[in-house]
Amino acid sequence: MAGNKLMGTYEHTMDAKGRMAFPTKLREILGLSFIITIGQDGCLYVYSNEEWDIFTEKLGTLTGEKAKVAKLFIINACVVEPDKQGRILIPQNLRDHAGLDHDITVLGVTNRAEIWDTARFKKSVGEITNAMLSDALSELSI
């Protein structure tokens, strides 16, 4: 994935079987199969195979209580392969974690994608203030 960064916001819907069309632009970067696991704040993380290897290597360096938490990312992970229509099937345990039902928002976030319930995503973004944005940018000297 070197050189190709995941970015953008994509609105989709999920059917009753847990299938959703995954954005073409993101699939082109992620590859023919990719990994989905639990994420922070009630979303799902989506990694290319290459980025998954980097992520799990970093998880392997954690110790103590943090190592127990790191296991959750691994034991909840699954490999998905889009079908001919570009749809993926999200397992029930991951749908439950992210509260996914019908309206889905997919984000490209540099080295991974995120899958959100649209209402949960909008609420999360709505909590970000201009002051928080300014603080983050000033820390980067931008």
Side-chain angles (χ1 to χ4, degrees):
M1 192 167 68
N4 290 322
K5 299 295 182 196
L6 298 162
M7 63 181 91
T9 303
Y10 307 85
E11 304 269 330
H12 288 276
T13 57
M14 176 177 289
D15 69 18
K17 294 179 183 178
R19 294 178 303 192
M20 63 167 288
F22 200 81
T24 303
K25 288 182 181 181
L26 300 182
R27 283 196 329 262
E28 289 170 354
I29 296 169
L30 290 166
L32 298 176
S33 69
F34 40 89
I35 293 89
I36 300 179
T37 191
I38 62 171
Q40 294 178 295
D41 302 321
C43 73
L44 300 178
Y45 289 165
V46 183
Y47 291 97
S48 68
N49 290 295
E50 177 185 2
E51 287 293 332
W52 178 250
D53 289 344
I54 294 167
F55 180 62
T56 55
E57 189 174 313
K58 289 178 182 177
L59 288 177
T61 65
L62 298 174
T63 59
E65 291 297 312
K66 290 180 181 177
K68 289 179 184 178
V69 173
K71 272 189 220 175
L72 292 176
F73 289 104
I74 297 167
I75 65 174
N76 284 289
C78 68
V79 176
V80 296
E81 295 181 18
D83 65 15
K84 291 177 184 175
Q85 288 82 35
R87 297 176 304 181
I88 59 169
L89 174 65
I90 300 178
Q92 187 65 53
N93 66 314
L94 294 179
R95 282 184 268 159
D96 291 344
H97 170 81
L100 303 179
D101 183 31
H102 186 264
D103 295 322
I104 308 295
T105 299
V106 181
L107 310 173
V109 190
T110 310
N111 69 328
R112 71 170 182 255
E114 295 180 356
I115 301 173
W116 288 80
D117 168 75
T118 297
R120 183 179 282 181
F121 171 69
K122 287 180 179 177
K123 182 178 185 289
S124 175
V125 169
E127 294 170 354
I128 298 172
T129 65
N130 283 335
M132 292 164 75
L133 287 171
S134 294
D135 286 347
L137 292 176
S138 67
E139 194 168 309
L140 299 173
S141 301
I142 296 176

